[in-house]
Each structure stands twice: as structure tokens, then as C-alpha cells.
Amino acid sequence: MASNTVSSFLSSILQKLNLKMSDNGKDDEPPCKKSKIEMEKKIGTHGGNFHCDEALACFLLKQLPEYKSAEIIRTREPKILDTCDIVVDVGSVYDPEKNRFDHHQRTFKENFNSLDSTKKWVTKLSSAGLVYFHFGRQIISDILNKPKEDPITELIYDKVYENFVEEIDAVDNGINPTDETPRYRQTTGLSSRVGGLNPAWNEKQDDRDKCFEKAVALTGLEFMDRVNHYKNSWLPARDVVLTAVNNRHKIDESGEIMCFENGGAPWKDHLFSIEEELNIDPLIKYVLFADLSGQWRIQCVPLRLGTFDNRLTLPEEWLGLRGEELSEKTSIPGCVFVHANGFIGGANSYEGVLEMARKSLQLHKQKTIS
């Protein structure tokens, strides 16, 4: 996307968010032109270089009715911060009763689990996680148009933390995603992209607040995209996956192969939870579906979410083969391909991928016996 297109796109988001910024408590707009609500409500955060966590925290607060039209004041001056109705990521105080949400003090060790023992996440919270913990249910409730107490609200509240906010918490607190040496650098995540919106060392520094507005808009856009994905795509897919799981023995008597009549539904997360809920044994190994072009696919079920390791990878002797060579190797007509890593393959027909799945199970059992 061209830079001018990106700029105009973010500008439209900023207008929708109704962002108003003040630098160190100063404001170019005369007080007489402000509404009473705007004069009363102020969100405080630190000045200087900005980060993803306070940008998201400010966006989240502006989704609440009481802060929708609030000013965002960026400063480290205690006297100015004292005039703010709510302060995030600065001030060395965590006190929800006083609306103070900083995490930089040495005594701070809070995580979702420490604040709510029913939650499993133990990543140290940043200002984003703190604001989301205290206000996230209300925000999700409003987006879904459901009561805060509705199980669907709680489900998506949890999913958004686990798959969006927690990463921001971890990055801001310097927590590595793995205890091992990473195989490659991760430089395109949301936290990195927000950091890249800061002016470079050799650029003008007086536009930093304008850059922060773009950071708030960017984090907000991705937050809303994530929530709407869970609302409009992920949640409806559960019934599709449940139906496929219940019909698995109609596909193959082993119960280790399931099929979607139409591909594209996000199935992995739902499959793991449904298998646990229904105490399924043996676990499902392969998923069959037709892609958008009408070609049939066989995909391995991963060991867990976020990994490329599979419960049962397609046979090693098939890996990387295509077309006639693959059909000859498998003795299955109409084979199209098997990926070199063995996690997915294809055939011209449903019967073809079903036979690939059955033969893969058979070969694995033969090797296990021998």
C-alpha cells in the first residue's frame, strides 16, 4: 500500500476514533470551544517514545462511554498527571480504585491469574493488559451487543486476551516467546510496527504526538479486526466443526478422519476444545476439505495450536511429490501433491484424499507393529 494511501487510511480511522491530543497538558483549542465532557475527562500517559501497550490502552479506554471524548495527555509531569481522570503506563502506581494503571514499579508482578484465579495466563501485564483486564469485558460486551455476564462475552474476552493482548504484554515486559534460541527474528508484529511509527532519531521530533495518534489508530484497528473475527467467523465455525467431529465415523470407521463439506472455516482451535470436551479417543489425525478452486485437500491436525508439528505427518516417501509420480508412489489415482513438510496434500477428488488419509493411517500402523 502506498504511503499516501496508508496515511489517508489512518486519518479516516483517527476521525472515527475522535482522538484529541494534548502535549504536556497544553492544548491549542481554546477552552470555550470545548464541551463539558471534553473538559472533564482526561487520559494521561507518558510522553517521549511510545509503545504498543499504552497506544492500545488509550484506544480501549476511548471505547468506553465515559472516555469516548476524552483528551489524551502525554507527559511525565506528576502535577499534570494528577489532573487526569485515568493514567496508564506512567506514574509508578497500580491502583484500579484511583484509575492508575502503571506496571513499571519494582513491586508490580500482576498477571491475569494473580488478579483472577479462574484465568490461566501468567504473563506479566503491561498497561494494555491492565486496562483490558479491568475494562475489556465491557468493551467486548458493547461490541457483541451482549450482556457482560453472557458466556459468549466471556469466551471472546478470553480469546482476545490469549491471542492478541497477551503478546503485547509479553513484548513490553521483555518476555521471550521461547526459552530456546529463536530460529529467526520476529520484526513484523504489532508491537514492532507501532514502535516504527516513532520519529527516527534524525527526523523532526515535534510531531511525536501526531505519530502517537496513528499508533492508537493502528492498535485499535487490529483490536477491532480481532474481535470481529471471533464474533463473525470463529464463533459460527464451532457448529461446523462439531458437526464434522460427530460425523467422523461416517467418513471412516477409524474415527481419525473428519471432513468439511465446505472448506475455509477456522477449525483447529475448536477441534482441540471439542475433543477435550467429548473425551475423544483416538484423536483425529486428518481433516479433508475442498479449497476455493474445488480441489480436495488433506491436512494434518497439528500437535497443538501454533506449531508445525503434526499428530501424524503424511508418509515420508510421499513428501514433495506431485502428479503422476505421487499417484504411482501411493497407488492412488488423481493425486496432485504432498507438501515437502508433509502437513498437507491434495487430490482431484474427495475419494482421492480419503484414500490418502486411509493409506497414511495404514502405513503408520504397519510401521508401529514392525
Side-chain angles (χ1 to χ4, degrees):
M1 187 180 293
S3 59
N4 60 337
T5 306
V6 172
S7 179
S8 61
F9 179 69
L10 287 177
S11 295
S12 67
I13 297 297
L14 290 170
Q15 291 175 2
K16 291 179 181 178
L17 292 175
N18 192 30
L19 285 175
K20 297 182 181 294
M21 300 287 299
S22 291
D23 183 9
N24 294 335
K26 300 176 182 178
D27 201 329
D28 295 332
E29 186 177 358
C32 60
K33 292 186 178 181
K34 290 182 173 293
S35 70
K36 183 178 180 181
I37 294 178
E38 287 175 315
M39 289 292 291
E40 288 179 348
K41 296 296 182 182
K42 297 177 183 178
I43 301 169
T45 190
H46 63 80
N49 263 22
F50 53 79
H51 312 96
C52 190
D53 69 315
E54 77 266 19
L56 179 60
C58 288
F59 173 83
L60 293 174
L61 290 173
K62 299 221 17 118
Q63 306 317 295
L64 300 168
E66 58 266 43
Y67 298 111
K68 182 178 180 180
S69 299
E71 290 181 307
I72 298 175
I73 297 177
R74 302 185 68 243
T75 182
R76 293 187 183 275
E77 290 293 331
K79 290 183 179 179
I80 298 175
L81 291 172
D82 286 344
T83 68
C84 295
D85 298 274
I86 190 166
V87 176
V88 299
D89 211 43
V90 68
S92 299
V93 175
Y94 168 53
D95 187 343
E97 292 185 0
K98 296 181 178 179
N99 281 337
R100 293 309 187 252
F101 298 96
D102 195 14
H103 66 110
H104 293 99
Q105 54 274 27
R106 291 185 61 174
T107 56
F108 184 87
K109 303 183 186 303
E110 303 294 355
N111 54 59
F112 248 67
N113 177 261
S114 69
L115 296 177
D116 181 350
S117 61
T118 68
K119 304 301 183 185
K120 64 182 179 180
W121 304 287
V122 295
T123 298
K124 182 181 176 181
L125 298 173
S126 68
S127 63
L130 283 171
V131 169
Y132 187 76
F133 177 85
H134 289 282
F135 303 102
R137 281 188 186 87
Q138 183 60 57
I139 294 168
I140 299 296
S141 169
D142 291 343
I143 296 172
L144 300 181
N145 196 25
K146 290 182 178 292
K148 283 204 306 184
E149 300 77 16
D150 192 295
I152 298 300
T153 299
E154 191 70 15
L155 177 62
I156 294 184
Y157 170 75
D158 286 349
K159 295 303 295 184
V160 171
Y161 182 75
E162 183 174 47
N163 293 297
F164 185 75
V165 181
E166 185 180 23
E167 178 185 337
I168 296 169
D169 286 342
V171 171
D172 195 76
N173 284 303
I175 302 171
N176 291 322
T178 176
D179 293 331
E180 301 175 354
T181 302
R183 293 185 178 181
Y184 53 86
R185 293 185 63 198
Q186 295 176 311
T187 61
T188 59
L190 181 57
S191 294
S192 296
R193 285 180 282 125
V194 167
L197 292 175
N198 281 284
W201 67 273
N202 53 355
E203 293 179 336
K204 290 177 59 178
Q205 302 295 308
D206 53 1
D207 290 335
R208 194 175 295 273
D209 283 349
K210 291 292 184 183
C211 296
F212 182 70
E213 292 179 11
K214 294 180 180 180
V216 175
L218 178 60
T219 59
L221 178 66
E222 298 210 8
F223 174 83
M224 295 300 295
D225 280 349
R226 192 61 59 97
V227 176
N228 285 321
H229 163 73
Y230 286 124
K231 173 186 176 182
N232 299 323
S233 176
W234 179 82
L235 192 60
R238 178 180 168 83
D239 288 340
V240 176
V241 179
L242 180 59
T243 298
V245 170
N246 288 334
N247 289 337
R248 69 192 187 281
H249 287 103
K250 297 178 182 179
I251 304 301
D252 185 75
E253 62 181 10
S254 69
E256 297 178 72
I257 305 169
M258 74 177 193
C259 178
F260 295 122
E261 294 183 5
N262 297 300
W267 55 268
K268 295 176 185 177
D269 197 356
H270 291 304
L271 176 60
F272 291 134
S273 62
I274 290 170
E275 285 180 324
E276 184 176 355
E277 291 166 14
L278 301 182
N279 196 26
I280 289 176
D281 185 31
L283 297 174
I284 295 167
K285 308 300 190 301
Y286 300 117
V287 174
L288 313 180
F289 61 93
D291 66 14
L292 296 176
S293 68
Q295 293 281 332
W296 277 90
R297 298 287 183 256
I298 171 175
Q299 186 167 353
C300 304
V301 177
L303 283 175
R304 58 189 177 277
L305 288 175
T307 181
F308 293 103
D309 296 325
N310 307 308
R311 288 175 175 175
L312 188 58
T313 300
L314 292 170
E316 184 177 356
E317 56 267 31
W318 299 359
L319 306 188
L321 300 183
R322 304 184 68 86
E324 287 299 321
E325 184 181 9
L326 178 59
S327 291
E328 290 178 8
K329 190 70 175 180
T330 61
S331 299
I332 301 171
C335 290
V336 176
F337 79 100
V338 168
H339 192 278
N341 287 337
F343 75 96
I344 194 170
N348 291 325
S349 66
Y350 163 73
E351 291 77 14
V353 290
L354 177 58
E355 188 58 28
M356 290 173 74
R358 286 172 170 169
K359 185 158 287 190
S360 183
L361 289 173
Q362 181 183 5
L363 290 171
H364 174 72
K365 289 175 182 177
Q366 290 174 354
K367 289 182 179 179
T368 302
I369 294 173
S370 61

